[in-house]
Amino acid sequence: MAGFVGVLVSDPWLQSQFTQVELRTLKSKFISTRSQSGRVTVGDLPPLFAKLKAFSEMFKEDEIKAIMGESHTNMEDEVDFESYLRAYLNLQARAAAKSGGSKNSSSFLKAATTTVHHAINESEKASYVAHINSFLGEDPFLSKYLPIDPSTNALFDLAKDGVLLCKLINVAVPGTIDERAINTKRVLNPWERNENHTLCLNSAKAIGCTVVNIGTQDLVEGRPHLLLGLISQIIKIQLLADLNLKKTPQLVELVDDNNDVEELLGLPPEKVLLKWMNFHLKKAGYEKQVTNFSSDLKDGEAYAHLLNALAPEHCSPATFDTKDPTERASKVIEQAEKMDCKRYLTPKDIVEGSPNLNLAFVAHIFQHRNGLSMDSNKISFAEMMTDDAQTSREERCFRLWINSLGTATYVNNVFEDVRNGWVLLEVLDKVSPGSVSWKQATKPPIKMPFRKVENCNQVVKIGKELNFSLVNVAGNDIVQGNKKLILAFLWQLMRFTMLQLLKNLRTHSQGKEITDTDILNWANRKVKKANRASQIESFKDKNLSNGIFFLELLSAVEPRVVNWSLVTKGETEEDKKLNATYIISVARKLGCSIFLLPEDIMEVNQKMILILTASIMYWSLQQQSDESDDSGIDASSAASGDGEIERTLSGDISNLAINETASDPNPRVSSQVDVEE
């Protein structure tokens, strides 16, 4: 892979916001501007951006200058390449807001994050406030601050300490955050507040939110448009949680044959919701097809037919007879309230076609009364289509990880969405810049099957160039949806990414690869240096199941982060789960972006244990690197000076081949993809 030269930036998140094509284009413009005057200033950016196709039709140069002036008081200030990229992203967000957002997004989650609404939608705000008041009104800590008045900015002020958002995430997906890890003092210092927001953002990613362009400082400042975008995603995840075959096997009634079930598995939840709505509308004799949650619902007729089909006892002929859309919308909401559905929207919101609020309203109707049958034969078939617990957990982990990278395509189901190869090519382009030949790739929708095979063949080819273990694996295996091979490939891809991040921080390693053994030895040394007794033999060590080693490791890298009065001995299954849940939240609170579940620690899932340890190591080395940069000390001498990571790195062993020495007490040579470990 030495031949692949891409544009690299030091911030992994910033790198993830651009494709290599975009980075090369922007770098070229930046260098061209710098070569003319020797440096690039804030004042150089407006004319530069105004000529770009992305902004030329949206902004005049003076408008761009005014936007730049909001964050820069001196137009003569010099900007580096990364500041230039951040300015580009900010302007891109403004353009998205001005145009009304992405029209091509395949998922509400992606759309909700890439569209920044600087003009606050008061109806949405009022709806989200009502939701928060309803679900968190009796929370022991928040009850003294609730209910929130939607006519004020109290929502944004309350969100500034991070507690509200963390609690809301737990309402959406219970158990995501161990609330013992949330800092809940009445007055938080800046460090504690930042910890809460870091925990919030990492946990939001871990439930499927796409937190593009949102940082902890944005939450500390309570920026309304960003907060509402994040709150919107969290609430939608809660409302759409049951729109899958695992939670609601009755959804199989929406399809006619087995092939359609596979299609249903791959649909994003909002598409399933539309399919459910049209299923009932067709049965009710409604001839139109509802294709969106906006214009197709404005006249209220679809709602009237849907509620009549689901709850005829609450319906009135007057709803169909009235010619006034606003009056019909009012009657629809009255009928929904008789079903105990929360309002979420007003008649005005229906008539104006508010997509977010209509989506929330329909999802809530589904939760209360889905109107689907309990056909035992169909339900048992649907249950057969769902994965076992281990496979399901790994699919979830890789799906969330891919979505956290900021790729253009949002993944709803790994096994279905990777089969055309495009998503995997996007991920490879993120983690190994320049490795993808886009001229040889076909973008979805792909009608010709051989084009999918071509994409997947390129995926396998790049994997082999990265030294992945892919013996006897062909692109067609991915196209056919071979789950074990897909999981094995994604595991190697995730591991490669983490090891590359570690390697980039280890400037003193002189380009030698980081191995599993290095990570294992680093963790053991860290714990020993902190005068703790725990040591582990491998990432399969059964002693890891009680969680004590990880708590000691976390305490070693940041002494104040673990509250030892909350830690159990881990002797019972219940105590192990308490420790495991606490470990995950503490790691996220530090800044680790991880996607494992407590069960992965309790069962000592070798893959997830390795990634967790590597993530903690990465965070620790980042802090050391930052401190060295601040003090002007060379990072390599700083690392070598305290003896923390002095070791001999084996440069001949690739960082991409699974290191069995660390993973297994009895090393062996693997000749094929190991899908069992």
Side-chain angles (χ1 to χ4, degrees):
M1 293 305 293
F4 291 134
V5 180
V7 179
L8 301 175
V9 294
S10 62
D11 183 346
W13 175 86
L14 191 59
Q15 176 96 37
S16 74
Q17 305 310 302
F18 300 93
T19 65
Q20 274 298 306
V21 174
E22 292 168 335
L23 280 172
R24 283 194 288 269
T25 302
L26 290 170
K27 184 81 171 182
S28 173
K29 301 285 185 185
F30 181 81
I31 292 173
S32 176
T33 303
R34 187 176 62 188
S35 64
Q36 294 172 15
S37 57
R39 67 189 193 121
V40 178
T41 65
V42 177
D44 292 326
L45 299 186
L48 192 159
F49 286 154
K51 294 176 184 176
L52 295 178
K53 186 177 180 181
F55 305 131
S56 59
E57 298 177 2
M58 198 68 64
F59 299 111
K60 295 179 181 177
E61 186 176 323
D62 289 343
E63 291 179 290
I64 298 175
K65 187 174 182 180
I67 292 171
M68 301 297 298
E70 293 175 9
S71 51
H72 298 86
T73 54
N74 187 355
M75 288 290 162
E76 292 302 313
D77 285 346
E78 186 172 356
V79 294
D80 58 16
F81 182 58
E82 291 194 14
S83 300
Y84 161 77
L85 291 178
R86 293 181 191 279
Y88 179 92
L89 285 176
N90 180 48
L91 196 59
Q92 188 181 57
R94 295 291 186 97
K98 192 172 181 181
S99 66
S102 170
K103 295 180 181 179
N104 299 320
S105 176
S106 62
S107 166
F108 77 86
L109 288 171
K110 190 70 178 177
T113 321
T114 52
T115 305
V116 181
H117 298 281
H118 288 278
I120 298 301
N121 185 314
E122 291 297 331
S123 289
E124 287 191 21
K125 176 185 163 188
S127 178
Y128 301 152
V129 165
H131 181 94
I132 290 168
N133 287 340
S134 172
F135 282 93
L136 291 172
E138 296 181 5
D139 180 84
F141 179 78
L142 292 174
S143 57
K144 52 182 169 287
Y145 304 107
L146 301 178
I148 300 169
D149 183 350
S151 65
T152 69
N153 285 325
L155 170 63
F156 310 123
D157 293 333
L158 184 55
K160 287 181 179 179
D161 67 4
V163 178
L164 174 68
L165 293 172
C166 286
K167 299 268 190 179
L168 192 60
I169 287 171
N170 265 0
V171 168
V173 184
T176 299
I177 297 176
D178 187 329
E179 297 200 2
R180 298 174 298 171
I182 305 173
N183 299 317
T184 54
K185 294 191 306 188
R186 189 173 185 86
V187 179
L188 300 178
N189 62 41
W191 179 278
E192 292 166 331
R193 191 179 295 116
N194 187 68
E195 281 185 335
N196 279 351
H197 289 310
T198 303
L199 174 60
C200 165
L201 290 176
N202 282 322
S203 299
K205 284 191 284 186
I207 66 170
C209 295
T210 312
V211 290
V212 178
N213 291 343
I214 306 177
T216 55
Q217 190 58 33
D218 298 315
L219 301 183
V220 169
E221 294 173 5
R223 295 189 179 181
H225 59 284
L226 293 176
L227 274 170
L228 276 189
L230 181 56
I231 290 170
S232 171
Q233 287 190 79
I234 295 169
I235 291 175
K236 285 172 180 173
I237 285 170
Q238 176 187 346
L239 292 174
L240 298 176
D242 294 338
L243 281 151
N244 57 74
L245 285 176
K246 190 171 184 179
K247 291 283 186 70
T248 313
Q250 300 97 304
L251 284 168
V252 75
E253 189 180 349
L254 304 183
V255 297
D256 296 324
D257 56 43
N258 298 357
N259 292 332
D260 290 339
V261 173
E262 287 194 8
E263 181 189 344
L264 188 64
L265 284 168
L267 286 178
E270 72 274 22
K271 296 290 186 185
V272 177
L273 192 61
L274 281 174
K275 197 172 186 70
W276 167 80
M277 192 175 187
N278 283 313
F279 172 79
H280 284 299
L281 290 176
K282 184 178 180 180
K283 284 174 63 176
Y286 187 69
E287 296 179 357
K288 298 178 184 176
Q289 183 90 352
V290 176
T291 61
N292 58 64
F293 292 103
S294 182
S295 58
D296 287 358
L297 301 176
K298 283 184 177 182
D299 60 12
E301 289 184 6
Y303 276 135
H305 283 84
L306 177 66
L307 294 179
N308 187 49
L310 295 174
E313 70 275 16
H314 297 310
C315 290
S316 165
T319 309
F320 296 96
D321 295 339
T322 181
K323 302 298 182 185
D324 179 23
T326 303
E327 185 179 344
R328 184 183 295 115
S330 298
K331 293 186 179 298
V332 162
I333 290 174
E334 288 174 12
Q335 291 165 14
E337 285 182 333
K338 291 176 183 176
M339 296 167 58
D340 292 328
C341 292
K342 297 184 188 304
R343 291 181 69 113
Y344 280 106
L345 77 180
T346 64
K348 182 183 177 186
D349 296 324
I350 293 178
V351 173
E352 292 182 353
S354 171
N356 283 342
L357 297 184
N358 274 315
L359 174 65
F361 185 51
V362 178
H364 204 68
I365 294 172
F366 174 86
Q367 283 186 342
H368 275 263
R369 192 174 299 193
N370 62 42
L372 299 173
S373 70
M374 299 294 289
D375 186 324
S376 57
N377 291 330
K378 281 193 171 184
I379 290 176
S380 52
F381 173 73
E383 290 170 343
M384 285 170 54
M385 293 293 293
T386 57
D387 300 311
D388 62 77
Q390 179 66 29
T391 301
S392 181
R393 286 212 307 265
E394 291 197 13
E395 185 277 336
R396 170 196 167 278
C397 173
F398 295 134
R399 167 168 38 88
L400 295 170
W401 171 66
I402 290 171
N403 288 334
S404 76
L405 297 175
T407 52
T409 307
Y410 190 91
V411 176
N412 294 286
N413 181 300
V414 165
F415 299 130
E416 293 300 317
D417 294 352
V418 304
R419 289 173 63 177
N420 60 26
W422 184 261
V423 169
L424 293 175
L425 290 173
E426 287 184 324
V427 175
L428 285 164
D429 188 54
K430 290 286 185 184
V431 304
S432 180
S435 61
V436 177
S437 175
W438 291 110
K439 290 182 179 179
Q440 297 174 16
T442 304
K443 187 175 183 178
I446 304 174
K447 294 181 179 179
M448 304 298 290
F450 76 92
R451 295 294 185 191
K452 297 179 184 179
V453 176
E454 285 178 348
N455 281 355
C456 292
N457 281 341
Q458 185 177 178
V459 167
V460 173
K461 176 175 175 287
I462 296 169
K464 289 179 178 178
E465 289 170 345
L466 293 172
N467 291 337
F468 289 4
S469 179
L470 296 171
V471 178
N472 297 325
V473 177
N476 197 49
D477 293 315
I478 298 174
V479 176
Q480 295 299 320
N482 186 315
K483 293 182 179 181
K484 287 188 175 182
L485 291 179
I486 289 170
L487 289 178
F489 183 89
L490 287 172
W491 156 239
Q492 295 184 80
L493 191 53
M494 186 183 205
R495 181 175 174 277
F496 166 76
T497 306
M498 178 52 71
L499 295 180
Q500 287 298 101
L501 288 172
L502 287 170
K503 181 184 174 184
N504 291 340
L505 280 178
R506 294 286 308 284
T507 55
H508 64 291
S509 68
Q510 299 178 336
K512 294 180 180 178
E513 308 295 354
I514 303 291
T515 66
D516 294 2
T517 305
D518 295 324
I519 298 169
L520 182 73
N521 291 341
W522 172 87
N524 277 328
R525 264 196 300 274
K526 258 296 183 183
V527 171
K528 186 176 181 180
K529 190 178 177 184
N531 297 318
R532 298 285 182 176
S534 299
Q535 294 285 282
I536 57 172
E537 295 182 359
S538 73
F539 295 118
K540 280 183 172 181
D541 194 323
K542 293 302 180 184
N543 292 323
L544 287 165
S545 67
N546 64 18
I548 300 298
F549 178 82
F550 283 117
L551 289 164
E552 291 184 347
L553 178 59
L554 288 163
S555 182
V557 300
E558 178 50 68
R560 63 178 296 280
V561 79
V562 175
N563 182 346
W564 285 100
S565 67
L566 302 175
V567 177
T568 74
K569 292 182 179 180
E571 294 175 347
T572 66
E573 288 301 301
E574 184 180 350
D575 285 351
K576 286 180 180 179
K577 185 158 190 177
L578 284 170
N579 283 353
T581 306
Y582 188 54
I583 288 164
I584 293 170
S585 289
V586 168
R588 286 176 181 153
K589 185 177 176 178
L590 268 186
C592 299
S593 184
I594 50 178
F595 305 98
L596 76 168
L597 291 170
E599 290 79 5
D600 293 316
I601 297 175
M602 295 167 65
E603 296 171 12
V604 193
N605 181 323
Q606 173 194 346
K607 299 174 185 176
M608 299 304 136
I609 293 290
L610 169 60
I611 293 299
L612 173 60
T613 312
S615 298
I616 298 170
M617 180 180 178
Y618 179 65
W619 182 87
S620 178
L621 295 182
Q622 266 189 316
Q623 308 316 300
Q624 188 180 70
S625 177
D626 290 345
E627 289 168 10
S628 300
D629 290 344
D630 291 342
S631 62
I633 300 172
D634 178 69
S636 59
S637 61
S640 301
D642 66 5
E644 179 194 351
I645 20 182
E646 284 185 336
R647 65 169 76 74
T648 301
L649 293 179
S650 178
D652 295 330
I653 300 175
S654 168
N655 65 317
L656 304 173
I658 293 181
N659 188 321
E660 297 294 349
T661 305
S663 303
D664 194 330
N666 301 307
R668 56 185 170 75
V669 177
S670 175
S671 62
Q672 59 183 1
V673 177
D674 193 340
V675 296
E676 298 300 329
E677 293 188 329

